[in-house]
Amino acid sequence: MTYAALQAIHLPYEVYLDLELHLLDTRPDIKPGAFIQELVQRWLALDKERHAVRTQGQALRGFQWKSVFLPDGTRLRTSYQHNVEFATVVSEQIVADDGQVLTPSQFANRQASARNAWRFVWLRLPAEDYWVRADQFRSRFETGQQQHSMNQHTLAEKV
């Protein structure tokens, strides 16, 4: 990809200096320009996901995990002794970053054994900003389903 001209983006001096000093303390190998570029690219990717969900709706493909549906593009994360691993729902499968196709349990137990995936896997659905633990997501989902069912029952009684 070639560009006819580069566009400079200006930051107030105080903001740039604060960022530079913070990076020197926390990530001395990263320059502010590279950090800002990566930050904008991450934000842009997330905002494109949000826009796609708003305009096209949630994905029809995904992975059915017991009572919970994880739409295509859902990210999964687990960690064990400071070793963090990621996977993504691709079509109807969970694919680890190393390409291995796994179940949620297999993903949670790659580094350790006898771990309950609901407790050790974190999820970030497409267009969402935050990670949520799988058991909390399931609980919210099931509560929402119960409320929806109760509302439908109430509507049916009124008809």
Side-chain angles (χ1 to χ4, degrees):
M1 183 181 301
T2 59
Y3 297 100
L6 296 176
Q7 177 66 42
I9 298 174
H10 301 279
L11 290 174
Y13 178 74
E14 298 80 23
V15 173
Y16 182 85
L17 183 60
D18 192 28
L19 174 62
E20 187 171 36
L21 292 173
H22 178 73
L23 290 174
L24 281 172
D25 285 343
T26 60
R27 300 175 188 149
D29 56 326
I30 298 178
K31 300 293 181 205
F35 178 80
I36 291 170
Q37 180 180 343
E38 180 183 339
L39 189 63
V40 169
Q41 288 171 330
R42 286 184 184 187
W43 174 84
L44 190 56
L46 185 59
D47 205 55
K48 286 179 179 180
E49 284 180 12
R50 283 190 194 108
H51 179 71
V53 168
R54 279 193 307 268
T55 58
Q56 301 166 12
Q58 280 287 2
L60 297 177
R61 294 181 161 269
F63 183 85
Q64 187 68 46
W65 183 10
K66 305 272 184 184
S67 62
V68 174
F69 179 74
L70 304 177
D72 190 30
T74 299
R75 295 285 290 156
L76 291 83
R77 181 184 77 201
T78 191
S79 64
Y80 181 74
Q81 295 184 348
H82 306 291
N83 185 19
V84 180
E85 292 194 68
F86 295 92
T88 305
V89 174
V90 179
S91 193
E92 286 95 21
Q93 299 177 322
I94 296 173
V95 181
D97 281 355
D98 65 6
Q100 188 175 5
V101 176
L102 304 162
T103 66
S105 179
Q106 290 169 330
F107 179 63
N109 289 290
R110 283 171 55 127
Q111 302 284 326
S113 59
R115 296 188 343 152
N116 181 328
W118 292 108
R119 292 183 46 226
F120 290 95
V121 172
W122 291 72
L123 306 170
R124 187 175 70 78
L125 275 66
E128 293 293 325
D129 291 322
Y130 302 102
W131 293 89
V132 61
R133 203 167 70 183
D135 64 347
Q136 293 170 332
F137 181 76
R138 176 179 61 175
S139 178
R140 288 182 202 163
F141 177 79
E142 289 173 351
T143 299
Q145 290 294 96
Q146 289 172 350
Q147 289 174 345
H148 178 71
S149 178
M150 289 170 40
N151 290 343
Q152 292 295 326
H153 181 68
T154 304
L155 280 175
E157 287 178 347
K158 290 181 179 181
V159 174

